[in-house]
Amino acid sequence: MHDGRDAARILTTGLGRRRFLQAAAGVGAAVAVAGAAPAAAAGRVAPATFGGILQPGQGRIRGDHYLRSDVDDVLWGYVPSVHATPVTRMRSGRTITIDSVSHEGILEDQGRDPAAWFGEQGVRRREVLDDAAAIAAGYDRTPRDFDTDGPHVITGPVHVEGAEPGDVLKIETLDVAPRVPYGVISSRHGKGALALTGGGAPAGITLDEVMPPVATDGRPSGVPTEYGNVSLLARVQGKRAVLGTGRSRVSFPLRCFFGTMGVAFSDNARLTAPEANSIPPTLGGGNIDISHLGAGSTFYLPVRAPGALFYVGDPHMAMGDGEVALTAMEGSLRGTFRLTVCKKGTGDAPSVAYSYPFAETAEAWIPIGLSDPDGSVGGQGTDLDVAMRRAVVNALDFLEHDRGLDRAVAYAYLSAAADFAVSQVVDRTVGVHGVVRKADFRR
């Protein structure tokens, strides 16, 4: 006669750990990840709250490991390649807390002086993060070119023991906390859904409808502070953010998540290689900008380098699907993650994830599609239709191979019941994600 541990071992061997946990959940077993926040309805990120300024090393550190955004370790505008040297190492299944730094307030068009720029917005000096100030003043790992480089401050990479090319890195976001009580939303000339293009107004709108307005475009000056870009400060009040004043005042829920979570993808060892630019997402994840990926979510990425070389950046306090103006409400966050290596054939990760990013929350599976998943290699594809098709195919593959649905039934189900949304239209490579409700598959 088998005891409970033997039964669990037998079921896990037959089903794979991931399927076993799903089956357990289906009969009422509740398995909670320590420190994880409950996911919100329909897979949407639950509102966060601000608990005080989190300077480097201060406040609660939840993870087994802790990684700061030190000026000598971060990359600004680029993500690590498969040749990168890790800044820390950890065992698979352990947790790490990472202090990320938002690029907003430290960029060249804002003067690259966060104390001064935020001070002009009414932010007190003690509310400006020391690591943000240090990066703005002292970053020199790569030369900065505002017009070419990505904007994001990238923290990592983290070497996860046992990860090899062909595996999947499972990234569980356990906790996300605002480090400051404010964020910034920016709109920059030549970028965003309504941006001026080289040929004039983009298709579908007139020059008068371009944002920011064409008359304010100061890019010919060559001086970033004179470009006429627009950056607006939003204040955190409880579980909401407040933007604007008077009749233009509006508030909205905080939904904190990391816009950038990735593993090394580029094979080019040059730190500033175009393939490593932090703006376009790739098969290695990166600037994926999916608003569901907050506390309680799981993100799966195919591994291309020994140790996976995990990194984060682009911390968001709130973002609407599409991210139309260019940025989300950008604000520095402290995140805690569990990083686990999944081997092919174990059932520990969705089958799609061995070749393409995939995500899930407690309520939904999230298939992903990108318009140009190799980043800047061989040009830049920005066709939303391409991203949509790939998201649908990835959803079909998951439902057929992992859930056992006939492919025609799966296609009909997606048309009748799943939601596909634009992740973002501003990262050169555009993205679409689906939301497939788990409740529909509980038998």
Side-chain angles (χ1 to χ4, degrees), residues 95-187:
T95 60
I96 185 168
T97 295
I98 301 177
D99 274 348
S100 68
V101 170
S102 174
H103 52 278
E104 291 294 337
I106 73 171
L107 285 170
E108 287 81 359
D109 65 340
Q110 295 159 334
R112 201 165 160 172
D113 183 346
W117 192 86
F118 282 119
E120 292 173 358
Q121 320 305 316
V123 174
R124 292 169 291 187
R125 176 61 185 87
R126 66 178 181 82
E127 295 178 318
V128 176
L129 294 175
D130 294 341
D131 42 4
I135 292 167
Y139 179 82
D140 61 3
R141 286 191 68 188
T142 57
R144 282 288 299 167
D145 182 334
F146 180 71
D147 296 317
T148 301
D149 300 338
H152 311 105
V153 175
I154 301 298
T155 307
V158 177
H159 182 282
V160 183
E161 292 179 10
E164 296 291 342
D167 296 340
V168 161
L169 186 67
K170 177 182 178 181
I171 304 152
E172 297 171 88
T173 300
L174 305 181
D175 184 74
V176 183
R179 297 182 63 197
V180 290
Y182 54 83
V184 179
I185 307 162
S186 289
S187 176

Side-chain angles (χ1 to χ4, degrees), residues 70 204 242 328 410:
D70 289 333
V242 176

